[in-house]
Amino acid sequence: MTSTAKAVSLHLCIIVVLFALNFLLPEYHRGILSRVMVLSVFAMGYNLAFGYAGLLSLGHAMFFAAGLYGAGLTIYHLGWSAWPALAAGLGAGAILALVAGFLALRTRGVAFMIVTLMFAQAFYLATLYFTTYTRGEEGLVLPQSARNLSFPGANLDPTVPATRYMLALALLTVILFLLLFLVRSSFGRALVAVRENEERMRMLGYDVFANKLAALVVSGVICAAAGAAYAILFGYAGAGFASIQYSILPLLWVLLGGAATTLGPIVGTLFMFYAVDVTSSYTNAYMLVVGIALILLVLYFPKGIAGAVRARWLPWLP
Amino acid sequence: MAFGPYLLLAGLEGLVTAAVLALMALGLSLVFGVMRVVNVAHGEFYMLGAVLAWWFASLVSGHPALGFLLALIASPMVVAAIAFAADRLVLRRLNYEPEATIVATIGLLYIIQQLALTFFGPEARPVQPPFDMRLSLPWFGYSAYKLAVIAASACLILATWIMLTRTRAGLLMRATQSDRETAQAFGIPVDRVYAGVFALGAGLAALAAVLIVPIQQAHYLMGQDPLLLSFIVVIIGGLGSLRGTVVAALLIGLSDGIISMFFSPTLAKMLATLLVALVLVFRPQGLFGTAAR
């Protein structure tokens, strides 16, 4: 088999396994997995900017929150139905990523980290400032009726756990294959080259700024898609999702799973969720366990889980 | 109260914020400048300094000044020792790679925060100020301790500056900062300099916390906001520029004090962060830094 065929069949296998798990898992774990799938889309979006293009942003919470509020506010205040609200979320993410990227990409390295952090912080404070509309930390609880996704011939209600799981899986599948295609395209290769040596790419005649901006916008839109999906599937939009913590979490998930691997973000998100879940059932000091796990992982698996697998056993892993 | 005295009060409050912020940011700037490590756990060293200050102060009965004095000496020492151990056990093994150290310091943040929550508890606890005196100005009374904090911080910053520019240890640090490999070739024990700088940075954060803890209470989440502010200060001031760090701390502290007294604090913070971001976009080397080499 060629490496392309291997990669595509591996990804298909994972989707099939996730599909089967819907019927095998008990209710509690199915709930966790639905959430993990939506949040790993967030991590996958982050991975495109951080892992592939080398843009260490500390402000991706604003893109997630743009999607969350783009969908949440239009449903709550304008009474839009789910599909236009999803589109509004994506649009909000795209515009924000375009503006933030246009400004922030003038800087690099540490300054880029801080500028994105500041933008995200300003966005977070804005969600608190306009508390009449967003209800701040308390958040909006979206009415069930507005969250139905109408397809020709069917009307899917995301409050039903199985439906919610399938919708999350559908989103994950679309984004996973989109990214698999993107990172193997010439655009994806150019991003990796920019990450490795920006000067050389510029000398070869590539427009480095345009490539980075495109990467950031696509990344922002994917994160916004995760946010909008979160609002629609789980019916909640709160300022907590715009806080710094949600900028650091995707970084953590990606680094754990393996930066610049297509499956790493899913592995990392899943690992983190279950690390917290398992340890919090034994002790309430779960942060300690997570902290120690992080340090051990970074000491002994610096490339992340999928990265280590690629380095040792499966060199074709995308 | 008339506008003038009101502004004076806001300015004084801002100065106290600036004094503490400058000390903390100085520690972050040293670690950042010499080691190129983004220390996300810096805020937790600050919190640890405050929590330990409460613990040491509660050990001593009698005049509150005694307990405070013990805390002022012991708490930064303990925090510096913890930072030294963290550098030896974790950061050095990671070869100070930027991304790996960020994750490691996030891990450290979780660990310290959890330990503080477990052993110190979720409630905020006060420390008695060493002296309780009010200076009566014509318009309002003002705590003399707050003025002492400003003075103490100024002295400590001066001491750090003298240490960096006039002593052998400072020379070694500056040599390591400007070129690690050449410094090593000249026989400077770079490893030990790194461990020392990391401990010194954490110690400065702890000192700042001990000074502030009689004004604000010790709480296990108190490290978050100052961390963000000191990042802003370090970046605005320019990497590794001591003068820049101090000026930026004054700027941020004063404007924070004054703006939030006259406008909604949330709006003030929002505008300030946006302004900072735009300064960085159009002047990435900071206001006082030299262009990156």
Side-chain angles (χ1 to χ4, degrees):
Chain A
M1 267 206 290
T2 64
S3 66
T4 309
K6 278 187 199 166
V8 170
S9 37
L10 175 69
H11 286 69
L12 278 176
C13 279
I14 285 171
I15 298 299
V16 170
V17 168
L18 283 171
F19 183 81
L21 281 176
N22 176 46
F23 306 102
L24 301 173
L25 283 179
E27 190 53 53
Y28 174 70
H29 291 280
R30 189 163 64 175
I32 289 191
L33 209 55
S34 318
R35 205 169 291 254
V36 165
M37 285 195 288
V38 173
L39 289 177
S40 52
V41 169
F42 180 23
M44 282 151 72
Y46 184 75
N47 189 26
L48 184 69
F50 165 65
Y52 289 95
L55 300 168
L56 208 173
S57 145
L58 290 181
H60 263 57
M62 69 177 151
F63 303 135
F64 184 78
L68 191 77
Y69 278 115
L73 289 176
T74 47
I75 288 179
Y76 194 83
H77 291 292
L78 305 177
W80 289 16
S81 62
W83 284 116
L86 183 69
L90 291 182
I95 293 169
L96 192 66
L98 198 65
V99 175
F102 189 76
L103 289 169
L105 284 172
R106 294 173 55 106
T107 62
R108 61 178 67 198
V110 175
F112 179 78
M113 286 165 49
I114 306 292
V115 169
T116 47
L117 182 76
M118 299 285 99
F119 280 151
Q121 183 69 6
F123 188 90
Y124 170 61
L125 291 169
T127 62
L128 294 182
Y129 185 69
F130 295 105
T131 192
T132 16
Y133 302 106
T134 63
R135 307 192 41 161
E137 295 281 2
E138 191 189 326
L140 304 170
V141 175
L142 305 177
Q144 185 197 337
S145 56
R147 286 160 52 204
N148 283 341
L149 284 154
S150 56
F151 286 90
N155 205 5
L156 298 181
D157 177 7
T159 48
V160 178
T163 315
R164 175 156 65 194
Y165 185 94
M166 283 304 160
L167 287 170
L169 180 61
L171 175 74
L172 182 86
T173 312
V174 170
I175 301 292
L176 185 64
F177 280 95
L178 173 75
L179 278 173
L180 185 64
F181 166 73
L182 266 185
V183 303
R184 296 168 69 91
S185 69
S186 60
F187 172 60
R189 307 271 180 205
L191 291 184
V192 172
V194 168
R195 178 189 75 197
E196 293 300 324
N197 194 334
E198 204 175 311
E199 283 308 309
R200 184 180 296 167
M201 283 302 275
R202 192 168 289 129
M203 217 172 65
L204 288 171
Y206 282 86
D207 187 342
V208 170
F209 183 82
N211 268 306
K212 282 190 189 171
L213 188 61
L216 202 68
V217 170
V218 175
S219 160
V221 169
I222 294 175
C223 294
Y230 196 94
I232 293 168
L233 295 186
F234 297 95
Y236 172 75
F241 287 108
S243 66
I244 299 177
Q245 205 196 349
Y246 274 83
S247 292
I248 291 181
L249 281 175
L251 170 69
L252 219 59
W253 295 330
V254 167
L255 279 169
L256 273 180
T261 60
T262 47
L263 294 173
I266 305 177
V267 178
T269 315
L270 197 65
F271 183 92
M272 244 340 242
F273 257 81
Y274 274 95
V276 171
D277 189 61
V278 171
T279 50
S280 58
S281 63
Y282 290 109
T283 158
N284 53 14
Y286 74 91
M287 287 201 303
L288 182 70
V289 183
V290 173
I292 291 172
L294 277 179
I295 290 182
L296 290 180
L297 263 161
V298 82
L299 276 173
Y300 300 107
F301 291 94
K303 285 181 188 152
I305 299 165
V309 170
R310 171 157 67 188
R312 280 182 208 171
W313 299 295
L314 306 173
W316 50 266
L317 201 68
Chain B
M1 221 167 14
F3 181 75
Y6 210 54
L7 193 66
L8 180 67
L9 180 62
L12 279 174
E13 288 293 318
L15 263 183
V16 176
T17 313
V20 175
L21 194 57
L23 265 186
M24 185 170 169
L26 195 60
L28 193 67
S29 169
L30 272 176
V31 170
F32 210 15
V34 176
M35 304 166 68
R36 301 273 149 192
V37 162
V38 178
N39 182 14
V40 185
H42 198 65
E44 302 318 302
F45 288 140
Y46 172 83
M47 178 272 286
L48 204 58
V51 167
L52 285 172
W54 173 83
W55 188 67
F56 281 120
S58 67
L59 286 182
V60 180
S61 54
H63 197 270
L66 289 175
F68 182 80
L69 212 61
L70 175 69
L72 193 62
I73 296 164
S75 165
M77 300 282 257
V78 175
V79 173
I82 292 171
F84 187 85
D87 175 80
R88 277 290 147 119
L89 292 176
V90 181
L91 296 185
R92 190 157 67 119
R93 294 198 193 173
L94 295 173
N95 254 330
Y96 304 102
E97 261 180 64
E99 276 134 30
T101 46
I102 289 181
V103 183
T105 49
I106 292 174
L108 209 58
L109 178 153
Y110 274 124
I111 293 174
I112 298 177
Q113 217 171 70
Q114 180 69 62
L115 289 178
L117 179 62
T118 307
F119 292 105
F120 178 77
E123 56 283 286
R125 301 182 195 206
V127 170
Q128 288 277 312
F131 48 86
D132 202 10
M133 208 169 79
R134 282 189 87 73
L135 239 59
S136 48
L137 300 177
W139 315 278
F140 53 84
Y142 200 70
S143 151
Y145 178 73
K146 287 188 179 175
L147 296 177
V149 167
I150 299 173
S153 161
C155 291
L156 285 166
I157 290 167
L158 197 68
T160 314
W161 181 73
I162 289 173
M163 197 274 294
L164 276 175
T165 52
R166 298 283 187 276
T167 68
R168 192 178 146 71
L171 186 67
L172 295 188
M173 282 181 202
R174 282 182 294 136
T176 313
Q177 172 166 11
S178 63
D179 191 333
R180 178 187 173 176
E181 278 168 19
T182 313
Q184 194 149 27
F186 275 82
I188 293 177
V190 170
D191 271 357
R192 257 185 280 164
V193 172
Y194 273 24
V197 166
F198 200 65
L200 179 66
L204 282 170
L207 261 177
V210 179
L211 288 178
I212 200 72
V213 86
I215 302 172
Q216 285 172 3
Q217 303 184 334
H219 184 254
Y220 83 104
L221 286 177
M222 71 188 287
Q224 308 277 319
D225 282 351
L227 176 71
L228 197 70
L229 279 178
S230 28
F231 265 119
I232 299 178
V233 165
V234 168
I235 293 295
I236 292 284
L239 265 183
S241 156
L242 197 142
R243 188 184 47 145
T245 305
V246 174
V247 175
L250 277 175
L251 203 73
I252 303 272
L254 277 177
S255 55
D256 191 61
I258 292 172
I259 297 176
S260 54
M261 194 156 276
F262 293 106
F263 302 97
S264 138
T266 314
L267 184 66
K269 270 191 202 146
M270 200 164 94
L271 294 179
T273 28
L274 272 181
L275 200 70
V276 167
L278 291 179
V279 165
L280 259 179
V281 167
F282 294 104
R283 210 179 143 73
Q285 68 272 37
L287 289 179
F288 298 92
T290 44
R293 275 159 296 167

